[in-house]
Amino acid sequence: MIDKLEFFIALARAQHFGRAAEECGITQPTLSAAIRQLEDHLGVMLVSRGSRYQGLTPEGQRVLEWARRIVGDTRTMREEMRAARRGLAGHIRIAVIPTALSMVPRITAPFQEKHPDVTFSVSSRTSLQVLSLLENLEIDAGITYLDNEPLGRVTSVPLYAERYHLIAAAGTPLSDRDQVTWREVADLRLCLLTADMQNRRIINQHMAEAGVLVKPTLESNSMIVLFSHIRTGRWASIMPRNVAESFGFSAEIRMIPIVEPEAAHSVGLVAQYREPFTPLVSALLHEARRLADLQAFQ
């Protein structure tokens, strides 16, 4: 039953029988047979079928919620028993918004020092992707914005407040200022994150509040691409100060606070809301709270 529920979750995620089968490492006929057996067992149709996958039925949507819960609880039970036998070990998957990538080592490094048998994979994702991956059990935790767009049913630990600065090469317009306004920044040649990033939506929001429209001449989903263009002196950008500092800028690059308003948005660790948490996620949340307390103290 657990295997069939995992196949069903994969099908709902992939929305294609062939891709779901490949993801699960089985043949498409095996997957189709497992879904039909699940339907027979529950006495309802879960998938709308034609010549191809056409989505879940209303009953399928409800069963999907139960499947995620049951599979998540099963994984928690297995991990807890493994931890009881061997101590904390395993693999943690974390998805992170691009502007928070630089702070991930502040969690992973002390965590791995305490638990050397735990490994990590860290991927860069949009805030919407973080929540979707979390819901579909494809990651164990995420780092994203906490206070700007709905999060759904998650457990969260605030880590820091993201504050925005003009990042520009020395000698370029506004680079000699102690502070600038959102309205003034709008007139510069800007390179910014793409519109699918929440950071960009936040920038658009504050620009609109200042009565201006942001018109970047270059967009990218990579912070490295943005930094490399800032270094040319032809572009400036709007970024959180902690991100800019992580690249070790020299005096040739200026970081100037943006005011009117001086905006701040909370960023933190999120995990699926459940009790009990897996031992790995529980330990990760503990490490995040330790970091948050340390930063509050500082």
Side-chain angles (χ1 to χ4, degrees):
M1 176 61 74
I2 298 299
D3 288 344
K4 292 181 178 65
L5 291 176
E6 289 191 334
F7 296 161
F8 180 58
I9 292 171
L11 177 60
R13 180 168 58 240
Q15 299 184 10
H16 188 278
F17 278 93
R19 288 196 297 269
E22 183 177 356
E23 180 183 322
C24 295
I26 58 176
T27 65
Q28 183 170 329
T30 299
L31 177 72
S32 298
I35 299 301
R36 289 195 181 278
Q37 290 168 11
L38 186 59
E39 290 175 324
D40 292 343
H41 183 80
L42 297 175
V44 295
M45 292 291 293
L46 303 177
V47 180
S48 299
R49 297 177 179 83
S51 58
R52 62 185 63 187
Y53 175 88
Q54 296 180 351
L56 301 183
T57 65
E59 294 82 3
Q61 291 287 354
R62 186 69 182 121
V63 169
L64 179 61
E65 295 177 19
W66 279 103
R68 287 169 174 161
R69 189 180 311 173
I70 293 168
V71 169
D73 286 345
T74 301
R75 291 179 181 177
T76 299
M77 178 184 65
R78 288 171 177 165
E79 189 178 307
E80 192 167 309
M81 294 304 100
R82 184 170 62 247
R85 294 193 312 270
R86 304 184 309 184
L88 203 61
H91 186 74
I92 299 179
R93 303 159 297 171
I94 307 175
V96 185
I97 56 173
T99 58
L101 285 167
S102 62
M103 64 78 55
V104 175
R106 300 190 66 182
I107 294 178
T108 54
F111 187 102
Q112 217 275 331
E113 186 174 347
K114 296 171 187 172
H115 310 289
D117 293 328
V118 175
T119 59
F120 291 91
S121 58
V122 179
S123 58
S124 177
R125 294 288 187 270
T126 69
S127 58
L128 293 177
Q129 288 172 335
V130 169
L131 297 179
S132 176
L133 292 168
L134 203 58
E135 183 180 41
N136 286 319
L137 308 179
E138 294 178 85
I139 59 173
D140 303 294
I143 298 177
T144 187
Y145 295 100
L146 302 183
D147 61 358
N148 190 59
E149 295 179 357
L151 291 175
R153 192 171 170 81
V154 300
T155 295
S156 63
V157 179
L159 295 174
Y160 65 93
E162 188 176 86
R163 291 181 170 82
Y164 306 96
H165 287 62
L166 170 66
I167 312 300
T172 59
L174 303 181
S175 64
D176 60 343
R177 298 275 294 275
D178 292 328
Q179 62 182 33
V180 293
T181 67
W182 290 92
R183 178 180 288 274
E184 290 172 322
V185 170
D187 293 329
L188 299 177
R189 181 195 293 265
L190 293 173
C191 57
L192 299 173
L193 287 173
T194 49
D196 59 332
M197 300 289 180
Q198 191 171 167
N199 171 269
R200 174 62 182 281
R201 295 195 291 276
I202 288 172
I203 290 172
N204 290 351
Q205 170 191 331
H206 292 304
M207 288 288 197
E209 291 170 353
V212 292
L213 183 65
V214 61
K215 295 179 180 179
T217 59
L218 185 143
E219 298 175 309
S220 176
N221 63 0
S222 166
M223 301 302 294
I224 294 177
V225 170
L226 299 186
F227 279 122
S228 64
H229 282 80
I230 293 168
R231 286 187 181 279
T232 68
R234 292 183 55 81
W235 280 270
S237 190
I238 301 170
M239 296 180 182
R241 184 180 180 93
N242 63 300
V243 176
E245 289 176 336
S246 71
F247 275 75
F249 275 158
S250 66
E252 296 177 356
I253 302 296
R254 297 291 314 284
M255 295 179 283
I256 306 152
I258 304 176
V259 297
E260 297 182 19
E262 186 176 344
H265 292 273
S266 179
V267 175
L269 185 80
V270 294
Q272 250 197 349
Y273 182 85
R274 65 183 315 113
E275 286 291 347
F277 293 107
T278 68
L280 286 174
V281 170
S282 180
L284 188 68
L285 289 167
H286 175 78
E287 191 62 42
R289 293 186 185 103
R290 185 201 64 79
L291 174 61
D293 290 343
L294 178 62
Q295 294 191 154
F297 179 77
Q298 291 174 338

